[in-house]
């Protein structure tokens, strides 16, 4: 069965009511990124960081997948599909996709600050000061912050290097190493870029099919095309 690798970013969740990053002028919901999404910010004010993610999580609880997420579930009926998402929301899971790699972590999980292998589901939306892991250390959001390693990048590279087609959806391709992944796709593999801003985005390879549409419109279109050209 042919393998399709899908790289998603904040744009696929925009129509589910989750704000993208760069459309907000570098401020995330009114906060300086350096204060809420870096190890230094965490050291300086962990309570602020926890509160910031609590609010994001609270909003995320209500969010529902849109037609873009759902079209990717349909794609699985015809192809082997691997989703590599930069998003920390759980909308691909809620939609029902099977194979999902979270490059930048997951907002509905927490992690020990002394043992990164200790990862827990968060029930509801709150993670607070003095919530601790089983070894007694403070829990932090299970998110990859700026300046931190991206542990899942190697497995993502392996997947994309083996793709028969690649879909890139709703990402400004501004953040590395995620933005560099497409460079590992086989040179003869078609790449589709679905983003309302597609024509202004730079992709580090030739022959990219750019579809300048919102995810809810562009993703079902491309999925339909892939399915009808399958044989
Ligand atoms: P950005 O906010 O940088 O880019 C969002 C993209 O979504 C833009 O290219 C928009 O044109 C596009 N977009 C907006 N509305 C859309 C819609 N309805 N359908 C499809 N696309 C739409 O978000 P990312 O590229 O995901 O990292 O950002 C990458 C990383 O930067 C994030 O994962 C986050 C941030 O720093 C971490 O949290 C570590």
């Amino acid at each position: 069965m042919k393998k399709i690798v899908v790289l998603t970013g904040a744009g696929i969740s925009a129509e589910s009511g989750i704000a993208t990053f760069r459309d907000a002028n570098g401020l995330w919901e009114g906060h300086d990124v350096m204060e809420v999404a870096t190890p230094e910010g965490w050291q300086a004010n962990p309570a602020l960081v926890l509160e910031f993610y609590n609010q994001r999580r609270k909003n995320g609880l209500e969010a529902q997948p849109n037609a873009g997420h759902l079209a990717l579930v349909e794609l699985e009926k015809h192809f082997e599909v691997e989703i590599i998402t930069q998003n920390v929301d759980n909308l691909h899971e809620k939609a029902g996709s099977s194979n999902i790699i979270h490059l930048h972590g997951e907002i509905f999980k927490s992690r020990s600050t002394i043992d990164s292998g200790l990862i827990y589901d968060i029930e509801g939306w709150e993670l607070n000061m003095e919530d601790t892991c089983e070894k007694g250390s403070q829990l932090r959001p299970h998110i990859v912050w700026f300046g931190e390693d991206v542990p899942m990048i190697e497995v993502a590279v392996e997947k994309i290097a083996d793709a028969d087609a690649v879909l890139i959806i709703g990402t400004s391709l501004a953040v590395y190493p995620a933005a560099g992944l497409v460079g590992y796709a086989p040179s003869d593999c078609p790449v589709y870029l679905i983003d309302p801003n597609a024509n202004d985005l730079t992709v580090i390879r030739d022959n990219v099919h750019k579809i300048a549409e919102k995810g809810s419109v562009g993703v079902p279109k491309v999925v339909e095309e892939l399915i009808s050209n399958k044989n």
Side-chain angles (χ1 to χ4, degrees):
M1 202 187 239
K2 285 195 168 178
K3 298 186 182 107
I4 301 192
V5 173
V6 185
L7 174 67
T8 64
I12 197 170
S13 297
E15 290 165 86
S16 296
I18 298 178
T20 61
F21 300 100
R22 281 165 196 83
D23 294 330
N25 296 327
L27 286 182
W28 287 1
E29 309 283 334
H31 287 274
D32 178 346
V33 171
M34 300 310 286
E35 281 179 4
V36 293
T38 61
E40 294 76 18
W42 172 250
Q43 289 300 329
N45 193 344
L48 173 75
V49 174
L50 290 176
E51 179 53 22
F52 173 76
Y53 285 100
N54 284 349
Q55 290 307 320
R56 307 283 76 70
R57 205 175 292 115
K58 199 173 177 185
N59 296 343
L61 273 180
E62 307 296 325
Q64 293 302 323
N66 63 56
H69 299 99
L70 295 170
L72 297 177
V73 181
E74 187 62 26
L75 196 63
E76 280 189 15
K77 297 182 185 157
H78 304 268
F79 299 96
E80 211 175 291
V81 177
E82 190 73 47
I83 296 177
I84 302 171
T85 187
Q86 298 166 84
N87 299 343
V88 299
D89 66 50
N90 61 358
L91 294 180
H92 288 303
E93 283 87 351
K94 272 192 186 170
S97 285
S98 309
N99 305 312
I100 306 159
I101 295 170
H102 281 273
L103 275 184
H104 294 162
E106 294 174 73
I107 197 164
F108 288 103
K109 293 189 176 171
S110 66
R111 183 165 90 222
S112 164
T113 40
I114 51 166
D115 180 347
S116 59
L118 295 177
I119 297 164
Y120 306 90
D121 287 332
I122 297 174
E123 302 300 335
W125 57 273
E126 281 185 278
L127 182 65
N128 292 315
M129 294 303 290
E130 285 160 40
D131 287 345
T132 52
C133 74
E134 65 214 55
K135 293 184 177 172
S137 83
Q138 174 68 43
L139 288 171
R140 57 167 274 181
H142 181 45
I143 303 275
V144 174
W145 286 325
F146 286 99
E148 293 189 315
D149 287 342
V150 180
M152 297 307 286
I153 197 69
E154 280 166 28
V155 35
V157 166
E158 267 173 37
K159 297 289 180 192
I160 208 161
D162 200 27
D164 296 302
V166 171
L167 270 56
I168 304 175
I169 307 165
T171 171
S172 61
L173 293 168
V175 171
Y176 282 77
L181 276 173
V182 65
Y184 294 92
S187 54
D188 59 347
C189 133
V191 175
Y192 299 83
L193 173 64
I194 304 149
D195 190 300
N197 201 25
N199 294 325
D200 295 328
L201 294 176
T202 307
V203 187
I204 49 164
R205 67 174 278 149
D206 298 332
N207 300 323
V208 176
H209 306 280
K210 291 188 171 179
I211 298 111
E213 307 246 33
K214 288 181 171 183
S216 64
V217 175
V219 182
K221 257 190 207 169
V222 171
V223 163
E224 212 170 283
E225 186 182 321
L226 288 167
I227 294 171
S228 63
N229 293 339
K230 191 177 161 193
N231 299 311

